[in-house]
């Protein structure tokens, strides 16, 4: 089979596919329109998030057998149409779930212990101990929305703490020894920390809005390492201002481009200006699953799944 690589990934991906006898071509710069003109020559292509794969593109891919996405989500692909054409969709959430779990925990502990704030103050010659008194995670209740690969990885990291972990998911019977599955109502009644681990779907876009936030019984901390469009930023800011949300760790933002590579092309929104100035907010550039180890594991997962389905 001939495979076209549309994004650079760990070298093992092409090396191992070459060893399996596949022909591997690379094109990391051509426009989507240019790729459409040649995609009929290929049996498969591998992408991260360079551009959206829509019906027109899929119709041009007359011989396509699979699409490999070196990442967890498939929202940039018209999955229903691809599957209707018999195209196998291969993602790799197993490859970066550990990285996401560790990043989620790092954000939470940093928020609780005011690490970013304290670090900046000491660098400025300020030695403010009482103002940087932290919180302990022990005794808290952590709620996870979405209990797939990423949610389970975070719950596993929390096992070393004396915390109650609850999860809410649309699928039944996903709870395990690390998290008790509950209703959304129970989650909103009990949690001190809310962490999102959901894909981007019509159900999750704008999910965390003022109505949803105000449904929580207690003020809570928010961690989002999932998808930026799940959180309405202006509603998050309102909740931070009122104290309903005590602090937020955001690896993703609703302003991201679909490629996840950039933020703004125009004026910076007022809500984002608030976030970048807030001491109880930690921001990272969509790197929760972006570690040295996950780069290799993501590539290996794609190779292994191609071998499973096409050898």
């Amino acid at each position: 089979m001939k495979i076209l690589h549309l994004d650079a990934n760990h070298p093992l991906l092409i090396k191992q596919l070459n060893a399996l006898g596949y022909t591997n071509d690379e094109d990391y710069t051509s426009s989507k329109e240019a790729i459409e003109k040649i995609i009929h020559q290929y049996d498969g292509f591998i992408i991260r998030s360079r551009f959206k794969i829509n019906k027109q593109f899929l119709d041009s891919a007359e011989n396509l057998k699979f699409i490999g996405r070196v990442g967890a989500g498939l929202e940039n692909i018209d999955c229903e149409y691809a599957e209707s054409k018999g195209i196998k969709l291969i993602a790799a959430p197993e490859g970066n779930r550990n990285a996401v779990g560790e990043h989620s925990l790092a954000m939470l502990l940093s928020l609780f212990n005011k690490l970013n704030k304290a670090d900046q103050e000491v660098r400025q010659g300020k030695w403010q101990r009482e103002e940087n008194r932290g919180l302990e995670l022990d005794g808290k209740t952590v709620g996870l929305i979405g209990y797939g690969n990423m949610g389970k990885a975070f719950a596993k990291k929390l096992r070393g703490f004396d915390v109650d972990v609850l999860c809410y998911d649309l699928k039944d019977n996903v709870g395990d020894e690390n998290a008790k599955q509950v209703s959304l109502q129970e989650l909103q009644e009990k949690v001190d920390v809310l962490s999102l681990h959901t894909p981007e779907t019509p159900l999750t876009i704008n999910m965390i809005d003022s109505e949803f936030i105000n449904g929580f019984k207690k003020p809570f901390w928010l961690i989002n390492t999932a998808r930026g469009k799940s959180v309405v930023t202006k509603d998050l800011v309102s909740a931070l201002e009122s104290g309903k949300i005590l602090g937020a760790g955001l690896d993703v933002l609703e302003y991201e481009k679909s490629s996840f590579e950039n933020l703004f092309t125009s004026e910076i929104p007022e809500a984002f200006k608030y976030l970048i100035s807030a001491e109880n907010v930690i921001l990272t550039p969509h790197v929760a699953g972006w570690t040295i180890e996950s780069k290799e594991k993501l590539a290996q997962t794609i190779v292994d799944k191609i071998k499973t389905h096409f050898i």
Side-chain angles (χ1 to χ4, degrees):
M1 293 201 299
K2 290 183 66 177
I3 301 173
L4 180 61
H5 297 256
L6 296 172
D7 288 293
N9 290 293
H10 194 284
L12 76 79
L13 185 55
I14 291 178
K15 182 178 179 180
Q16 291 191 21
L17 290 174
N18 279 333
L20 291 169
Y22 296 119
T23 299
N24 292 275
D25 294 340
E26 301 166 73
D27 190 331
Y28 306 145
T29 58
S30 294
S31 67
K32 181 180 179 181
E33 291 71 27
I35 298 294
E36 269 185 30
K37 293 177 181 177
I38 63 169
I39 196 62
H40 66 277
Q41 303 172 23
Y42 293 93
D43 301 285
F45 68 85
I46 294 174
I47 193 169
R48 287 204 314 266
S49 303
R50 186 167 147 197
F51 49 68
K52 286 186 177 293
I53 307 301
N54 56 14
K55 289 183 179 181
Q56 179 178 321
F57 189 92
L58 292 168
D59 283 337
S60 299
E62 298 171 0
N63 297 303
L64 201 64
K65 297 178 178 65
F66 75 87
I67 300 170
R69 163 97 212 293
V70 187
L74 294 166
E75 66 267 24
N76 273 6
I77 301 168
D78 188 332
C79 297
E80 186 176 346
Y81 190 65
E83 290 173 339
S84 75
K85 295 174 74 70
I87 298 169
K88 178 69 178 177
L89 301 177
I90 299 172
E94 305 90 341
N96 63 355
R97 60 189 175 190
N98 183 71
V100 171
E102 290 190 5
H103 195 96
S104 301
L105 181 58
M107 281 189 145
L108 180 54
L109 292 176
S110 293
L111 284 168
F112 271 31
N113 292 284
K114 303 181 181 179
L115 296 185
N116 284 26
K117 174 180 177 291
D119 173 75
Q120 289 301 312
E121 289 174 356
V122 173
R123 291 172 189 271
Q124 296 166 22
K126 300 176 183 178
W127 195 258
Q128 302 188 129
R129 297 183 65 217
E130 187 58 39
E131 292 83 348
N132 288 300
R133 190 182 289 273
L135 289 171
E136 295 181 15
L137 186 52
D138 276 23
K140 305 296 189 294
T141 298
V142 180
L144 313 177
I145 296 185
Y147 202 60
N149 280 284
M150 308 306 167
K152 288 178 186 294
F154 185 34
K156 185 178 179 181
K157 303 302 174 192
L158 292 167
R159 287 178 65 173
F161 297 87
D162 184 14
V163 296
D164 290 326
V165 182
L166 308 178
C167 66
Y168 170 74
D169 196 285
L170 293 179
K171 294 181 180 179
D172 294 328
N173 302 315
V174 298
D176 56 22
E177 68 276 12
N178 298 325
K180 176 186 176 184
Q181 187 169 7
V182 297
S183 66
L184 182 58
Q185 181 181 357
E186 183 174 348
L187 188 98
Q188 289 181 304
E189 286 177 357
K190 294 182 176 180
V191 302
D192 302 293
V193 176
L194 177 67
S195 187
L196 305 182
H197 300 279
T198 47
E200 184 176 304
T201 71
L203 285 176
T204 62
I205 291 175
N206 297 331
M207 174 176 63
I208 310 300
D209 59 8
S210 290
E211 181 180 358
F212 186 90
I213 292 167
N214 291 328
F216 284 78
K217 182 178 180 180
K218 298 184 286 185
F220 64 96
W221 302 79
L222 176 68
I223 305 292
N224 186 11
T225 55
R227 288 294 184 256
K229 288 182 173 58
S230 294
V231 177
V232 180
T233 310
K234 62 180 180 61
D235 291 354
L236 166 61
V237 168
S238 295
L240 287 164
E241 289 177 323
S242 71
K244 184 66 178 182
I245 291 182
L246 300 169
L250 307 173
D251 181 55
V252 291
L253 293 165
E254 68 170 297
Y255 314 114
E256 288 178 83
K257 299 290 181 287
S258 59
S259 65
F260 306 138
E261 296 299 326
N262 294 291
L263 282 178
F264 311 107
T265 56
S266 57
E267 186 177 350
I268 296 178
E270 289 300 317
F272 185 65
K273 290 180 182 178
Y274 177 91
L275 293 180
I276 60 178
S277 65
E279 292 181 336
N280 59 342
V281 174
I282 294 178
L283 302 166
T284 52
H286 204 136
V287 293
W290 205 253
T291 62
I292 300 298
E293 293 85 355
S294 73
K295 184 176 183 180
E296 181 174 345
K297 287 189 281 188
L298 285 165
Q300 189 64 60
T301 300
I302 294 295
V303 172
D304 292 345
K305 289 186 177 182
I306 291 173
K307 287 169 64 175
T308 297
H309 293 290
F310 295 101
I311 289 185

